[in-house]
Amino acid sequence: MIRLDTRFFSAELKQSANEFQSEATAALAAVKRGDCSGGEFTGWYDWPRRHGFALAEEVKQYVANIGRFYDTVVIIGIGGSYLGCRAVVDALSHSYASSLSRGSKSVTKPQVVYAGHNLSEAGLIELLDFLSEREPIVNVISKSGTTTEPAVAFRVIRDHMEQRYGKAEAAKRIVATTDASKGALRRLASDAGYKTFVVPDDVGGRFSVLTAVGLVPLALAGFDIDGLLNGADQLFRSLEGEGLATHPVIEYATLRRAAFAAGKRVDILAYGEPRLATVVEWWKQLFGESEGKSGQGMFPAGLSYTTDLHSLGQYVQDGCRNLIQTFLNFSETLPVSLGGQKLERRLRVPHAAHNDDDLGYLEGRHVSDINQAAMIGTKVAHSDGGVPSLELNLRALSESSLGELFAFFETACAVSALLLGVNPFDQPGVEAYKKNLFALLGKPGFEELGGELRRRL
Ligand code: PA5
């Protein structure tokens, strides 16, 4: 079970966080009932039990039936339609998987590549070069089915697939995840006869990692989707019953709320293991899009330690005192899937005959212990420097602990946004940019806005 260590958070803020406790437990109850602000988008809550486990069976069946004709999974999507999946892949894959020989025991899964999360022409050209030497399967994911970035990437990649394999064979290598009935992608997929999965109406993009949005590409890429759902289910079950005021979900939400009330404006999620970078990107989207509206919300920032201790660490220690920080800590960061735990794959600082680098005092110590010491030292230093610091502790890095973390942050984020008085589940700011993009590119229906923008420019 996830643990929140608050020892290095300011006593004053902990005191004022207590004042938000009953509001927070009421907000959680409203999320459970679906009658909070934006309540029509609370379908992610308790998702594994309500739909997830059944969906996982369907997804596994689909993956088993198509067979492993592919060595590469192309995931086309942006924001909530790709970050959760990528977070799992990056956290649990060998960092050098693409360069290691395919026979290596660390490389048993297909390679996962991404498109549609930017508008880089160079990136797409390079991806096509790469795909022409691989056997790809393509999962295009868009809830609305109209987002420009994935739509453009999909048109390019679909063209590549159809030219290379012919329309019928290409259709077998494409799976679409989108709305049940609306949007261009749904229409296109029905016309072309693609296999489809549904993004539920009541789950928004950034809360959708445990739905088909995450499960389909992760299952195609060989990850343990049952583990992911089990971890999340464990977290949701821990939120049953009464006496939740001291639950880590409520504590995290109320401490953040108290920090915001006290003028804190930047919330850092710090990690000592580089493979967690995309988990933190997912968290940034979740909190940024859920809270950042109507002038509210702390700016969510991610810092990679110890790398960033040699750049932004100076600011965190000594700059403007409007920061709080949480350290994301797994008990074991070599993923179980790569031999962590089971094989005791550890690395010690080796013996050197002469102590010419002055590292004799570290001989025989695990590198991860040195990293841990750096994290603890940093936490104390930053807290002494006036940055209230939390630590989130999880079990060994695996699908299951990531599932638990996703459910934890989703629930805490919904409660935290409700405590700020904003709807956690809309994203009017994202829509504003999407409309301007349509208008500037001349999409039919956006002529008036296009004219207005051109006049201003
Ligand atoms: O959280 C959200 O809803 C957004 O960030 C979306 O995930 C993102 O804009 C992509 O939208 P879509 O899946 O409709 O292409």
Side-chain angles (χ1 to χ4, degrees):
M1 172 69 189
I2 205 161
R3 280 185 307 106
L4 184 66
D5 182 347
T6 65
R7 280 174 302 161
F8 290 88
F9 212 72
S10 99
E12 237 171 82
L13 290 181
K14 282 197 261 188
Q15 186 63 35
S16 42
N18 292 337
E19 290 161 27
F20 292 103
Q21 252 173 23
S22 58
E23 209 184 318
T25 46
L28 175 61
V31 169
K32 290 180 184 175
R33 292 190 306 269
D35 61 8
C36 56
S37 165
E40 64 279 25
F41 290 107
T42 48
W44 51 272
Y45 191 84
D46 208 12
W47 170 265
R49 239 183 315 175
R50 292 188 305 104
H51 301 288
F53 290 123
L55 172 66
E57 293 310 311
E58 193 193 322
V59 171
K60 285 186 292 180
Q61 196 59 56
Y62 158 70
V63 173
N65 287 347
I66 57 170
R68 265 287 284 275
F69 62 81
Y70 57 92
D71 57 14
T72 302
V73 181
V74 186
I75 297 171
I76 304 177
I78 194 164
S81 286
Y82 97 110
L83 271 173
C85 167
R86 187 168 189 168
V88 176
V89 173
D90 289 355
L92 302 182
S93 302
H94 196 294
S95 309
Y96 296 95
S98 59
S99 323
L100 285 171
S101 67
R102 302 301 297 171
S104 158
K105 67 176 184 309
S106 300
V107 186
T108 53
K109 296 182 167 87
Q111 191 173 346
V112 183
V113 294
Y114 306 88
H117 56 293
N118 56 44
L119 285 166
S120 164
E121 185 167 337
L124 276 173
I125 291 170
E126 288 171 353
L127 180 61
L128 293 179
D129 288 344
F130 172 75
L131 291 183
S132 61
E133 294 185 3
R134 307 293 292 228
E135 286 297 338
I137 187 163
V138 178
N139 186 191
V140 53
I141 309 167
S142 175
K143 180 173 179 180
S144 62
T146 57
T147 307
T148 307
E149 293 90 333
V152 169
F154 184 49
R155 167 125 12 156
V156 169
I157 290 167
R158 183 163 54 113
D159 183 57
H160 165 89
M161 299 292 281
E162 289 178 354
Q163 303 237 13
R164 179 167 162 195
Y165 295 108
K167 264 187 186 294
E169 176 61 20
K172 292 187 197 148
R173 290 170 175 260
I174 295 173
V175 48
T177 308
T178 188
D179 185 89
S181 57
K182 293 190 298 287
L185 181 57
R186 168 55 62 183
R187 266 197 321 277
L188 193 161
S190 310
D191 293 349
Y194 301 149
K195 170 73 183 166
T196 58
F197 287 91
V198 170
V199 190
D201 274 347
D202 58 358
V203 182
R206 58 192 173 276
F207 288 82
S208 68
V209 56
L210 302 174
T211 71
V213 169
L215 297 190
V216 174
L218 286 170
L220 285 169
F223 289 87
D224 172 14
I225 59 174
D226 291 325
L228 193 71
L229 290 172
N230 278 323
D233 186 48
Q234 202 177 324
L235 191 283
F236 288 125
R237 282 177 194 269
S238 73
L239 287 165
E240 284 171 4
E242 304 294 312
L244 295 173
T246 54
H247 191 286
V249 160
I250 300 292
E251 253 192 312
Y252 183 70
T254 53
L255 289 169
R256 293 182 82 260
R257 181 66 186 88
F260 183 75
K264 305 297 180 191
R265 289 295 176 264
V266 179
D267 182 12
I268 299 166
L269 189 56
Y271 52 104
E273 175 51 55
R275 66 182 56 253
L276 296 175
T278 319
V279 172
V280 174
E281 287 303 309
W282 173 88
W283 169 86
K284 279 160 63 178
Q285 188 211 354
L286 181 71
F287 278 81
E289 279 192 357
S290 301
E291 293 192 326
K293 51 197 78 155
S294 311
Q296 304 289 316
M298 287 184 283
F299 184 84
L303 290 184
S304 174
Y305 292 160
T306 60
T307 309
D308 283 327
L309 292 177
H310 298 263
S311 67
L312 292 167
Q314 168 62 37
Y315 189 102
V316 180
Q317 184 69 47
D318 216 12
C320 183
R321 300 298 70 192
N322 64 351
L323 318 171
I324 62 164
Q325 174 163 246
T326 301
F327 288 79
L328 184 56
N329 189 31
F330 287 81
S331 66
E332 166 72 77
T333 46
L334 182 66
V336 178
S337 52
L338 294 180
Q341 280 190 327
K342 274 186 220 143
L343 293 182
E344 256 297 300
R345 255 181 103 186
R346 304 290 300 272
L347 188 64
R348 291 174 191 272
V349 175
H351 170 70
H354 306 288
N355 190 25
D356 43 8
D357 53 8
D358 294 336
L359 279 190
Y361 74 105
L362 290 179
E363 256 181 47
R365 307 272 286 268
H366 290 133
V367 175
S368 57
D369 295 343
I370 303 172
N371 199 16
Q372 198 57 31
M375 290 308 114
I376 295 168
T378 304
K379 185 173 63 179
V380 176
H382 288 177
S383 144
D384 289 347
V387 181
S389 295
L390 299 168
E391 189 174 305
L392 261 185
N393 291 300
L394 287 108
R395 297 163 288 140
L397 189 50
S398 67
E399 284 89 341
S400 164
S401 54
L402 286 172
E404 184 181 0
L405 184 66
F406 288 144
F408 170 83
F409 276 141
E410 285 176 359
T411 314
C413 178
V415 172
S416 182
L418 290 168
L419 288 179
L420 288 172
V422 299
N423 175 351
F425 308 116
D426 64 358
Q427 53 283 328
V430 178
E431 298 312 321
Y433 127 81
K434 283 185 181 177
K435 278 188 204 140
N436 281 358
L437 179 59
F438 288 153
L440 288 171
L441 292 173
K443 184 169 177 165
F446 291 83
E447 292 79 1
E448 200 179 318
L449 180 59
E452 194 189 306
L453 286 174
R454 268 182 287 278
R455 272 193 299 282
R456 283 173 60 193
L457 294 169

